[in-house]
Amino acid sequence: MANLADVSSQVSTRAAESAPPKKRVLSDTWYSVLLITPAMIFIFIFALFPLGYAINVSLRYADLTSPQGISDYVGLENYRFALNDNIFWASVQRTLTFGVAAVAIEMVLGIAIAFLLNEIKWLKGLARSLFILPLAASPVAVGLIWRYMYHPEFGVYNGILASLGLPEQNWLGSTALAMPSVIIFDVWQWTPFVALIVLAGLQALPKEPFEAARLDKASTWRILRTLTFPMLAPVLTLVFVLRAIDAVRLYDAVFSLTQGGPGQATEVVTYYLYRLGLRFFRLDQSSAMSLLFLYAVVVFTALLMRRFMRNIAERARRA
Amino acid sequence: MTLSEAWDRLFWAAIIVVLIGLVWIRFLESVIGPCDGPGLLVALAVGIVFFATGWRSAAARKKREMTETEAKDEL
């Protein structure tokens, strides 16, 4: 039976060899172009066209409350306004404050939690599932719940403070506490993201170098410093870039918690752009500012990714 | 210069052009008064010089590599 199968496979192979080669409909180049085309169309419609439109609007006078709407070209006047607008620069400063504080806390906590989750022996799956919960929730919905938790009279945080005999706080109504409150909310929501990615990176590390280090009686701190963190560096860079970009784009948390207040204490760039463009209908100025902001984010990301890609290339060359 | 190197250089040239334009508007115009044209020309000139320098150094590197390869082949 086995011989019969061998013979039949040989016959079919020979038949395939003797048959004339099938003519290919598309060359490799055109096949590649065909595969890329849908993604390119998508990118053009949803990224490049809006970008071009924003550039066009930023060079015109566009006050939607005036009868002419989007009208004549005004050159770089909107950029001149944006670069000399103190409210814009104050919102940039608040965005940077928020980004630095939130991302730093999230990275430190996320890495610590990832190490803990990597070490625990039981209920691993349950712990991970619980950690994903804040990520799965809608930021606006959770923001509204947190708004009630921060409430000065009925909020759970002031309840805890009162039970400890500490003075109650006006979490979202005080200029000193509003930004830290937004940061705490963001840390609660996004630390699990950092933890999960770092945990995946930790679990993908090879075991041999660590076993060799333990045999050589290297201290835990030395293993961390010379093995774990250098090997985790690409993952850490990636998660840092993702979180930093997301942190400077913060909008939903501010919208649901404080709406930029009290005063302008939590008015970050995106919220100011929303207010200027969609409340005051100055699409020209808000487009110019959003393009300046996009420029800053692109430069920051490009510099980090350049370093990241160079490190990966060096590692590949060494390997 | 490969296509990806040219694209990378072009990208950074564009970034530099925009940066010089922004610095011009933010700081120089407050001293010399509003003048878009000269600022644009200066920014573009710096961008072109940056791109051309990269192009020339890449061409020189490729020529050196080709000479080294030929020398190795001869050996």
Side-chain angles (χ1 to χ4, degrees):
Chain A
M1 198 65 183
N3 286 340
L4 193 65
D6 286 348
V7 169
S8 77
S9 73
Q10 281 172 8
V11 168
S12 62
T13 313
R14 277 179 197 158
E17 280 169 1
S18 60
K22 278 183 186 172
K23 198 178 176 185
R24 295 170 72 179
V25 180
L26 285 172
S27 68
D28 280 354
T29 312
W30 283 108
Y31 188 59
S32 311
V33 169
L34 189 73
L35 289 177
I36 292 171
T37 304
M40 293 308 291
I41 291 171
F42 189 83
I43 287 172
F44 180 79
I45 294 172
F46 293 106
L48 294 181
F49 177 70
L51 181 67
Y53 189 77
I55 292 171
N56 182 28
V57 171
S58 74
L59 297 171
R60 289 169 178 267
Y61 177 78
D63 182 357
L64 296 188
T65 55
S66 71
Q68 61 265 42
I70 298 174
S71 57
D72 300 336
Y73 280 104
V74 290
L76 298 174
E77 208 50 54
N78 293 317
Y79 291 92
R80 197 166 283 122
F81 172 82
L83 288 168
N84 292 300
D85 182 14
N86 291 333
I87 304 174
F88 175 64
W89 287 110
S91 69
V92 169
Q93 200 180 347
R94 279 189 287 271
T95 308
L96 289 179
T97 308
F98 170 84
V100 169
V103 175
I105 297 170
E106 283 161 19
M107 289 297 290
V108 172
L109 277 180
I111 291 169
I113 290 168
F115 275 99
L116 278 175
L117 284 176
N118 197 37
E119 290 299 319
I120 59 170
K121 301 281 181 245
W122 39 270
L123 293 177
K124 222 175 210 178
L126 181 71
R128 275 181 219 165
S129 310
L130 286 175
F131 264 100
I132 295 173
L133 280 180
L135 287 176
S138 153
V140 177
V142 181
L144 288 173
I145 295 170
W146 272 71
R147 198 169 162 180
Y148 286 110
M149 287 165 73
Y150 278 135
H151 197 279
E153 286 176 42
F154 316 112
V156 67
Y157 293 119
N158 272 351
I160 293 169
L161 287 180
S163 66
L164 293 171
L166 295 169
E168 293 179 357
Q169 302 293 332
N170 191 358
W171 296 98
L172 300 175
S174 136
T175 49
L177 283 177
M179 185 56 95
S181 303
V182 178
I183 291 172
I184 291 170
F185 169 73
D186 195 77
V187 167
W188 171 81
Q189 189 162 41
W190 290 106
T191 300
F193 173 75
V194 178
L196 283 177
I197 293 186
V198 176
L199 179 65
L202 275 174
Q203 290 180 341
L205 292 180
K207 302 258 185 300
E208 294 82 13
F210 294 92
E211 284 165 5
R214 273 188 212 104
L215 281 175
D216 288 340
K217 291 181 180 166
S219 65
T220 311
W221 170 243
R222 191 153 185 212
I223 291 174
L224 275 178
R225 196 166 50 84
T226 55
L227 278 178
T228 315
F229 282 119
M231 288 165 100
L232 269 182
V235 176
L236 293 178
T237 313
L238 187 71
V239 78
F240 175 76
V241 170
L242 289 174
R243 276 310 304 140
I245 293 173
D246 210 41
V248 294
R249 288 191 307 127
L250 171 82
Y251 173 76
D252 33 24
V254 170
F255 181 79
S256 54
L257 285 175
T258 60
Q259 305 226 325
Q264 290 174 329
T266 55
E267 192 176 69
V268 288
V269 172
T270 47
Y271 196 81
Y272 177 56
L273 295 179
Y274 156 74
R275 203 162 60 88
L276 190 65
L278 299 174
R279 292 267 181 92
F280 300 145
F281 299 109
R282 289 308 302 263
L283 280 189
D284 48 357
Q285 292 168 355
S286 65
S287 296
M289 287 175 191
S290 62
L291 286 169
L292 289 177
F293 192 59
L294 175 71
Y295 172 77
V297 172
V298 165
V299 171
F300 171 75
T301 314
L303 285 172
L304 268 179
M305 288 310 284
R306 193 182 169 88
R307 191 184 159 87
F308 175 63
M309 296 308 280
R310 201 180 290 160
N311 284 349
I312 286 180
E314 264 177 34
R315 273 162 202 272
R317 209 180 305 132
R318 263 187 258 146
Chain B
M1 188 182 249
T2 62
L3 194 63
S4 69
E5 281 174 341
W7 169 248
D8 189 56
R9 201 76 186 176
L10 194 67
F11 171 79
W12 286 107
I15 293 288
I16 287 170
V17 168
V18 174
L19 182 68
I20 292 173
L22 295 178
V23 170
W24 185 282
I25 294 174
R26 179 77 175 90
F27 298 107
L28 280 179
E29 281 196 349
S30 58
V31 182
I32 57 175
C35 49
D36 295 348
L40 202 64
L41 278 178
V42 169
L44 279 175
V46 173
I48 289 167
V49 167
F50 177 80
F51 185 75
T53 319
W55 186 278
R56 282 187 67 178
S57 67
R61 194 177 64 233
K62 193 165 185 181
K63 198 176 173 184
R64 197 172 58 238
E65 281 172 6
M66 279 173 71
T67 317
E68 282 174 5
T69 317
E70 278 172 16
K72 272 182 191 168
D73 289 347
E74 278 178 20
L75 280 171

